[in-house]
Amino acid sequence: LVAIIMAGVLGIYGLIVAIIIASGITEPSEYGNTYSQFTGWAHLSAGLCCGLTCLAAGGATGVAGEIGIKATGLRAELNHASMTRSMAGVNGHGGVSREVQDEGDAGKLYIGSVTILSFSGAIGLYGFIIALIITSQSSYSCSY
């Protein structure tokens, strides 16, 4: 669930940059073009900066999320299996105990996984901040 939410946040970063870039584009007037080449290249670089860093952050989030969830589930399964083996014969029936068992250190593994996901999402945040800095420059009009 955390990886899905973080992927949605990365998409929102791109949406915000696209809205800022679209609001800076002007149409040509009767006296000539008012959208300079400098502004166009700045908008392209801002979009690529945000887009490529969010692509890298999304890939890192996907890999870290998948491995973290698999490891958490495997750890919980192994802890449950070891607890049921050690409890066999204790309940008087010689079978498997039906009581709820502690998951052991699976919670610690989940916290580590969420921490890695947070740092992978920070890559996209840095690209978003750089894109905001690039687009915050005042647009330069064409001079003839």
Side-chain angles (χ1 to χ4, degrees):
L1 184 63
V2 176
I4 296 169
I5 292 170
M6 295 187 81
V9 168
L10 295 175
I12 291 172
Y13 292 162
L15 181 66
I16 291 170
V17 170
I19 290 171
I20 291 171
I21 290 173
S23 67
I25 297 175
T26 57
E27 61 184 33
S29 67
E30 58 189 47
Y31 301 110
N33 191 7
T34 59
Y35 188 70
S36 70
Q37 191 175 22
F38 177 83
T39 307
W41 285 110
H43 286 165
L44 176 69
S45 64
L48 285 175
C49 182
C50 183
L52 292 176
T53 56
C54 285
L55 180 67
T61 300
V63 169
E66 178 187 8
I67 299 301
I69 294 302
K70 283 182 179 179
T72 302
L74 182 64
R75 177 64 62 142
E77 183 180 340
L78 291 174
N79 282 339
H80 181 70
S82 68
M83 291 298 288
T84 54
R85 257 189 249 119
S86 66
M87 293 297 292
V90 174
N91 61 1
H93 302 297
V96 178
S97 174
R98 301 283 183 205
E99 297 175 16
V100 176
Q101 302 293 330
D102 184 25
E103 291 186 9
D105 58 350
K108 293 178 187 176
L109 191 60
Y110 181 73
I111 296 297
S113 152
V114 170
T115 304
I116 292 171
L117 287 171
S118 301
F119 285 117
S120 68
I123 298 169
L125 179 63
Y126 296 150
F128 175 63
I129 291 170
I130 297 299
L132 289 179
I133 291 171
I134 291 172
T135 57
S136 68
Q137 301 293 328
S138 60
S139 63
Y140 296 94
S141 60
C142 295
S143 59
Y144 297 102

